[in-house]
Amino acid sequence: MALFDRIRKEWFIIGIVLVITFAKLEPSVGVKGGPLKPEITITYIAVSAIFFNSGISLKTEELTSALMHVKLHLFVQFFTLAFFPVAIWIILKLLALTSINHWLLKGLQTVGCMPPPVSSAVILTKAAGGNEAAAIFNSAFGSFLGIIVTPLLLLVFLGSSSSVPFSSIFSQLFMTVVVPLIVGQVCRHFVKDWLERRKPPFGVISSCVLLLIIFTTFCDTFSSPGIQLDHLSLLLVVLIIFSIQLGFMLLTFLFTTRKRSGFTPADTVAVMFCSTHKSLTLGIPMLKIVFEGYEHLSLISVPLLIYHPAQILLGSILLPTIRSWMVTRQRAVKLTNLQPI
């Protein structure tokens, strides 16, 4: 029974392993011109479905309560979409001197350019007893902002690998990302009560579509015999990803717990998770659009595929410690406020 519960909780990670394995065994199924016709089903239908799903499931009415905490929002968005990619760029200048696979290093840069996820940071913040409203706002706002900023960052740091003009990339992003997101929000306005009663499995739907995108991405890789990945590079990238996550969580913790920082312990928890988590659900479709037709796309995607489970695993491991610290700190603040002046 415990095994089935474990599989149910980790089904998406298991799914990633299975679709990559199937792509290795039958790459012809998901390549361009193959039975799945990914140039249509993935590039347009699957990507649009993910963002329509995000739009209809996003509870924007819950964001108003957190809207006024401007300082926290500015810090999270600056750290996620400015400091993070620049810091990764500097780190990669040093890592370029090593023997780590060149395309995996480019993949690490794409991780830095990604917006925050809609779900994992909120779930972990809530589990730790942090500022859930702030986490919801920054995850949602960061996702909207990422639609514009992330493609720009990818093109600035990596450049477009295809011959598609800059305007074409953004027109496709608009049609497959922005429009479905807005349509989803409009639809939510009319069926909100029904959604609250039925609670459709939006997360499961997006994850299944995402697995299909990952499958076709790796089909392209395995159908190109010239692409190889050494295991040492992969292991080093895993270690680098965990080090980056832990280091950046510590950095945000130290900054937000300074005297006169203006952040409460609950704010600190939200900032730690929202500033360091990156979105796989939004990231993979964006990479698919910006680097469409690029033979090394799957290698560039690998660090993001590793970063997603790594951030959940690390967050879950640190959760009891973070929760204990926050409770202790909140008690200390209350005692301080109760002392007579």
Side-chain angles (χ1 to χ4, degrees):
M1 191 67 180
L3 177 62
F4 285 114
D5 287 340
R6 186 70 178 173
I7 292 173
R8 182 173 57 82
K9 291 178 181 177
E10 306 295 341
W11 73 271
F12 182 66
I13 306 301
I14 296 170
I16 290 177
V17 175
L18 290 176
V19 297
I20 292 175
T21 303
F22 185 52
K24 174 68 174 175
L25 296 173
E26 296 290 342
S28 60
V29 175
V31 296
K32 274 188 176 180
L36 283 182
K37 300 292 182 185
E39 62 272 19
I40 298 172
T41 57
I42 301 301
T43 303
Y44 296 100
I45 299 173
V47 174
S48 297
I50 281 183
F51 286 98
F52 173 80
N53 199 41
S54 296
I56 199 170
S57 62
L58 194 60
K59 298 180 180 179
T60 46
E61 61 270 17
E62 293 183 1
L63 308 181
T64 52
S65 61
L67 188 60
M68 299 310 294
H69 206 333
V70 177
K71 183 178 179 180
L72 187 150
H73 307 326
L74 287 175
F75 177 84
V76 170
Q77 299 307 323
F78 174 81
F79 192 97
T80 305
L81 295 171
F83 175 82
F84 205 123
V86 172
I88 294 295
W89 180 77
I90 294 170
I91 292 170
L92 292 183
K93 289 295 181 182
L94 299 175
L95 292 176
L97 302 175
T98 67
S99 59
I100 298 174
N101 185 285
H102 172 68
W103 300 107
L104 289 181
L105 293 181
K106 281 184 174 289
L108 282 173
Q109 185 65 71
T110 68
V111 170
C113 298
M114 292 300 145
V118 176
S119 57
S120 63
V122 175
I123 292 168
L124 288 168
T125 299
K126 183 178 181 179
N131 189 338
E132 185 185 359
I136 291 171
F137 178 88
N138 281 284
S139 294
F141 182 69
S143 297
F144 281 117
L145 196 60
I147 291 170
I148 300 170
V149 177
T150 293
L152 282 172
L153 290 173
L154 289 172
L155 291 166
V156 167
F157 285 105
L158 299 175
S160 176
S161 59
S162 66
S163 58
V164 179
F166 187 85
S167 58
S168 296
I169 292 173
F170 277 91
S171 63
Q172 186 176 344
L173 276 170
F174 181 79
M175 293 305 298
T176 58
V177 176
V178 179
V179 171
L181 204 63
I182 293 172
V183 171
Q185 278 286 284
V186 172
C187 290
R188 179 178 177 80
H189 176 73
F190 292 104
V191 297
K192 184 169 66 175
D193 294 337
W194 180 85
L195 292 173
E196 293 298 326
R197 288 197 310 271
R198 295 300 182 111
K199 299 187 184 303
F202 292 117
V204 174
I205 294 169
S206 286
S207 295
C208 289
V209 177
L210 191 59
L211 287 175
L212 182 61
I213 294 174
I214 293 169
F215 170 69
T216 57
T217 300
F218 276 86
C219 281
D220 288 336
T221 295
F222 295 129
S223 63
S224 303
I227 298 177
Q228 295 181 345
L229 176 61
D230 62 284
H231 295 90
L232 179 60
S233 289
L234 191 60
L235 178 61
L236 289 173
V237 166
V238 172
L239 294 175
I240 290 166
I241 283 172
F242 274 102
S243 300
I244 288 172
Q245 286 187 16
L246 197 58
F248 283 5
M249 286 183 77
L250 179 61
L251 186 62
T252 55
F253 175 81
L254 293 174
F255 187 89
T256 55
T257 53
R258 294 177 304 118
K259 288 184 177 179
R260 301 185 183 87
S261 67
F263 295 113
T264 66
D267 292 339
T268 295
V269 173
V271 169
M272 285 174 64
F273 288 126
C274 291
S275 299
T276 58
H277 280 212
K278 295 293 184 176
S279 177
L280 179 69
T281 306
L282 303 179
I284 292 294
M286 283 187 181
L287 288 178
K288 194 78 175 174
I289 293 170
V290 176
F291 297 101
E292 176 65 27
Y294 196 43
E295 64 174 358
H296 291 95
L297 172 60
S298 60
L299 292 185
I300 293 175
S301 305
V302 166
L304 186 57
L305 292 172
I306 296 171
Y307 198 96
H308 174 76
Q311 68 190 7
I312 297 172
L313 177 62
L314 187 61
S316 301
I317 292 171
L318 295 176
L319 192 60
T321 305
I322 294 172
R323 187 193 298 119
S324 177
W325 167 83
M326 196 192 71
V327 171
T328 304
R329 186 68 180 265
Q330 285 178 329
R331 286 174 181 169
V333 170
K334 286 181 180 179
L335 288 173
T336 303
N337 292 337
L338 290 172
Q339 288 178 356
I341 300 175

